[in-house]
């Protein structure tokens, strides 16, 4: 569905896919992140998504002018998962709010796997 903003100049519609792309692109810039993972885990295997599919690892919900973002990520082996997740949460919230003007209430990080950094 997305979010509609009305101001004196007209109407702005921001789709959930746009928010997903912003969140996914911001997340992969964070240190310790190998990439985004598919939302579905089939047979215990995690699919690492390429740059063109970043939004597939993100779920966006908009309710009562609040945006909730769920990220499915793969972290690098040897990094502290809690610090990587906290950094991802902070940067995704900041960037999404800055670019869209929407209030992000929660950023949930789901670590789907660990891969060796190359």
């Amino acid at each position: 569905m997305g979010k509609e903003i009305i101001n004196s100049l007209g109407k702005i519609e921001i789709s959930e896919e746009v928010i997903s792309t912003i969140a996914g692109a911001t997340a992969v810039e964070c240190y310790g992140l190998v990439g985004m993972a598919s939302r579905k885990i089939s047979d215990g295997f995690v699919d690492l998504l390429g740059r063109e599919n970043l939004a597939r690892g993100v779920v966006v919900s908009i309710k009562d002018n609040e945006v909730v973002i769920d990220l499915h990520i793969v972290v690098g082996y040897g990094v502290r998962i809690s610090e990587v997740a906290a950094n991802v949460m902070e940067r995704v919230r900041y960037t999404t709010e800055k670019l869209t003007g929407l209030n992000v209430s929660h950023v949930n990080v789901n670590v789907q796997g660990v891969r060796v950094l190359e």
Side-chain angles (χ1 to χ4, degrees):
M1 171 87 181
K3 176 67 178 161
E4 187 175 286
I5 302 168
I6 300 173
N7 63 20
S8 63
L9 300 174
K11 178 173 67 170
I12 302 168
E13 293 181 26
I14 301 174
S15 72
E16 291 176 354
E17 186 175 339
V18 169
I19 298 170
S20 296
T21 302
I22 291 169
T26 302
V28 296
E29 292 176 353
C30 295
Y31 173 78
L33 201 76
V34 175
M36 301 299 292
S38 176
R39 290 176 261 174
K40 299 175 188 168
I41 299 178
S42 58
D43 301 328
F45 295 105
V46 176
D47 292 331
L48 193 61
L49 301 174
R51 279 217 167 274
E52 64 280 350
N53 295 324
L54 295 177
R56 283 184 44 210
V58 182
V59 179
V60 174
S61 304
I62 301 174
K63 185 176 178 183
D64 300 331
N65 294 326
E66 300 277 321
V67 178
V68 176
I69 301 172
D70 293 305
L71 300 168
H72 301 269
I73 65 171
V74 177
V75 298
Y77 178 78
V79 298
R80 183 170 280 177
I81 294 173
S82 60
E83 287 187 21
V84 171
N87 186 28
V88 168
M89 288 178 192
E90 184 179 322
R91 286 192 60 187
V92 167
R93 174 181 295 202
Y94 173 78
T95 305
T96 304
E97 286 180 347
K98 181 179 175 188
L99 294 178
T100 64
L102 301 174
N103 183 29
V104 178
S105 63
H106 291 24
V107 177
N108 302 313
V109 174
N110 302 293
V111 179
Q112 301 287 80
V114 177
R115 297 262 170 103
V116 177
L117 291 171
E118 295 177 4

